[in-house]
Amino acid sequence: MVEALGSALRQGEHAIGTVPALVKRVLTEESWREFVTQRGDHVLHDRFVDFVVTPPLAGLGTTIDLIRRVIFADVEALDMLDRTLQAASQPGRRNDLVNNADEVPRPRGTSKENALRRLRKDAPDLHAEVLAGTLSSHAAMVKAGFAARRFTVEVRTPETMAATLRRQLPADLLAQVIAELNRE
């Protein structure tokens, strides 16, 4: 598993589609902790971040950031990676198992990773819907009341802007926006 994941990361675009499934399997089986290389070397890692940054064949020879970018579209893989990275920061856990906070910063702001973490903690039912693919992470955050709904208004013509607002806003809120725009 470890060699397959490292190889897929190194091979580039044609193998990149296999990375999320391999990441999920390596994290689920915790095969990153202990394995034997193709040369027969026995490798042990106490921290996931060490496994990631250690050069091949004893590790992946990459960064957590690259792994996040490659698996970004697979919310289950992204969530599993975040769970692994978050594990050391939990009270009562050994802090040397996975990472130090300064080596792998926790997700912040409006990132998908931050949404998954917040939903996992405070809205597990919506978190499950996101992992199942029935709801986007942003839509789940809005549904839970953790984020405001957003939409884009293209600045082309007043007509196209008005059409977008009519389509996106309920009539009473649209009337309030119109009143606010007419206020001097």
Side-chain angles (χ1 to χ4, degrees):
M1 273 303 91
V2 169
E3 176 54 32
L5 175 57
S7 176
L9 282 167
R10 286 187 300 276
Q11 287 180 18
E13 196 172 328
H14 69 278
I16 219 73
T18 63
V19 171
L22 291 169
V23 166
K24 288 189 281 193
R25 188 160 175 196
V26 164
L27 291 174
T28 299
E29 296 173 2
E30 292 193 349
S31 54
W32 60 268
R33 290 187 183 276
E34 182 175 5
F35 55 93
V36 177
T37 69
Q38 290 176 332
R39 294 183 188 153
D41 298 326
H42 186 244
V43 178
L44 291 171
H45 290 289
D46 290 329
R47 301 175 337 138
F48 183 74
V49 71
D50 290 339
F51 162 71
V52 171
V53 300
T54 300
L57 297 170
L60 298 178
T62 190
T63 64
I64 295 290
D65 185 54
L66 177 64
I67 291 175
R68 279 184 174 139
R69 285 184 284 150
V70 171
I71 67 173
F72 188 76
D74 188 321
V75 292
E76 184 181 13
L78 202 57
D79 188 62
M80 289 176 74
L81 176 64
D82 185 60
R83 282 178 192 251
T84 300
L85 295 174
Q86 187 182 24
S89 65
Q90 297 296 322
R93 300 269 180 123
R94 286 182 39 203
N95 286 334
D96 63 340
L97 286 182
V98 181
N99 67 296
N100 293 329
D102 57 335
E103 290 177 323
V104 183
R106 75 178 196 86
R108 298 193 184 282
T110 58
S111 70
K112 188 185 294 189
E113 296 95 328
N114 192 43
L116 286 168
R117 187 176 282 193
R118 176 82 189 268
L119 292 166
R120 184 171 59 239
K121 179 181 171 217
D122 297 327
D125 53 329
L126 294 173
H127 179 258
E129 287 188 55
V130 172
L131 293 181
T134 59
L135 203 57
S136 73
S137 58
H138 179 71
M141 291 289 283
V142 170
K143 195 171 182 179
F146 303 148
R149 187 170 80 81
R150 297 175 182 201
F151 59 91
T152 302
V153 177
E154 289 186 25
V155 181
R156 289 187 185 205
T157 66
E159 294 80 16
T160 59
M161 293 166 55
T164 300
L165 292 174
R166 275 191 225 100
R167 201 173 41 254
Q168 295 293 331
L169 299 176
D172 59 330
L173 185 55
L174 182 59
Q176 291 174 14
V177 170
I178 292 168
E180 189 62 31
L181 288 171
N182 288 325
R183 207 177 73 166
E184 289 197 27

